[in-house]
Amino acid sequence: MQGPDPRTRHPLRGEPHTVFLNTVITRPTIQVGDYTYYHDEDHAAEFETRNVLYHFDFIGDRLVIGRFCALATGVRFIMNGASHPMHGFSTYPFAIFGEGWDEGFDMAELGRGHRGDTLVGNDVWLGREAVILPGVTICDGAVIGAGAVVASDVPPYAVVVGNPGRIVRLRFAEEVIERLLALAWWDWPAEKIARNLAAIRGADLDKLEQAV
């Protein structure tokens, strides 16, 4: 047994409420790893348009999500296109309306507040209605609570809750986290993962390190 085919669109008995995300992504600026799924009773397959917001090709920022991530209903990524320049006296986007308001506007000004790509590691759990702001990096093994608004980077295996999102604890001791990151089980071949599911689901790190 090797587990489900990561190219299956609806891996839960064909139910439309859950998709492996990489089967519904079409934009080259969005990259999703194998087995990462999104659950939504009504709009799972529309993740790209309903949940990745203000993502404009002319800006070029990327959303990269790793393998084995679990995204609950309503998770949203706010991309750099939502940002308004703040170096002047007004943040109002006069130029987009044209009719003379665009005269003298330098498109390079749009990039002054951009924060780069948004990156989500592997084995990350994003709770219902969590919001991830532009340029954030969420590292491997992190958990983002329901309704959290994440505006800054999240270290590996941290638990984040609230608005603004704050780290309430680490899931494991730092020495354990270092060993887990070194193992990077999510990069193992499907056959090895299937053979060692008990160790991956469990909490015996020595056993996991002995996996073959």
Side-chain angles (χ1 to χ4, degrees):
M1 297 292 291
Q2 299 182 18
D5 185 337
R7 296 165 295 181
T8 302
R9 174 167 291 200
H10 300 293
L12 289 182
R13 300 172 299 280
E15 294 287 345
H17 54 59
T18 301
V19 295
F20 278 156
L21 270 181
N22 60 4
T23 68
V24 299
I25 296 301
T26 64
R27 299 180 195 169
T29 49
I30 301 178
Q31 176 184 330
V32 181
D34 287 347
Y35 306 105
T36 286
Y37 73 85
Y38 175 60
H39 175 269
D40 187 320
E41 287 288 345
D42 300 310
H43 305 289
E46 301 168 45
F47 177 87
E48 186 176 64
T49 55
R50 297 181 65 92
N51 301 76
V52 185
L53 308 178
Y54 306 101
H55 196 201
F56 305 128
D57 288 342
F58 68 87
I59 292 177
D61 53 341
R62 300 181 305 143
L63 170 61
V64 180
I65 304 174
R67 306 179 88 204
F68 295 98
C69 294
L71 280 63
T73 304
V75 167
R76 286 165 292 167
F77 293 89
I78 310 298
M79 304 300 286
N80 283 289
S83 301
H84 292 205
M86 295 178 62
H87 60 279
F89 295 125
S90 175
T91 62
Y92 191 84
F94 293 98
I96 68 172
F97 297 103
E99 303 296 332
W101 281 3
D102 53 338
E103 292 183 12
F105 178 71
D106 183 356
M107 284 291 290
E109 295 293 306
L110 288 176
R112 292 186 62 165
H114 291 174
R115 300 183 58 192
D117 296 337
T118 299
L119 308 175
V120 179
N122 304 282
D123 193 26
V124 172
W125 176 17
L126 301 179
R128 189 181 182 100
E129 303 290 342
V131 177
I132 315 303
L133 296 186
V136 165
T137 294
I138 300 175
C139 292
D140 298 326
V143 174
I144 308 301
V149 178
V150 184
S152 57
D153 292 350
V154 177
Y157 290 94
V159 178
V160 171
V161 301
N163 181 9
R166 68 188 190 283
I167 298 170
V168 293
R169 65 182 176 90
L170 296 179
R171 294 175 56 199
F172 307 107
E174 291 187 7
E175 182 262 341
V176 172
I177 291 173
E178 291 177 3
R179 290 166 68 185
L180 286 169
L181 294 175
L183 277 172
W185 65 262
W186 42 81
D187 289 333
W188 293 352
E191 298 88 346
K192 183 176 180 179
I193 290 173
R195 287 196 304 271
N196 294 282
L197 282 181
I200 293 170
R201 288 190 291 240
D204 185 336
L205 186 51
D206 291 335
K207 183 178 181 179
L208 186 61
E209 288 177 328
Q210 295 166 8
V212 294

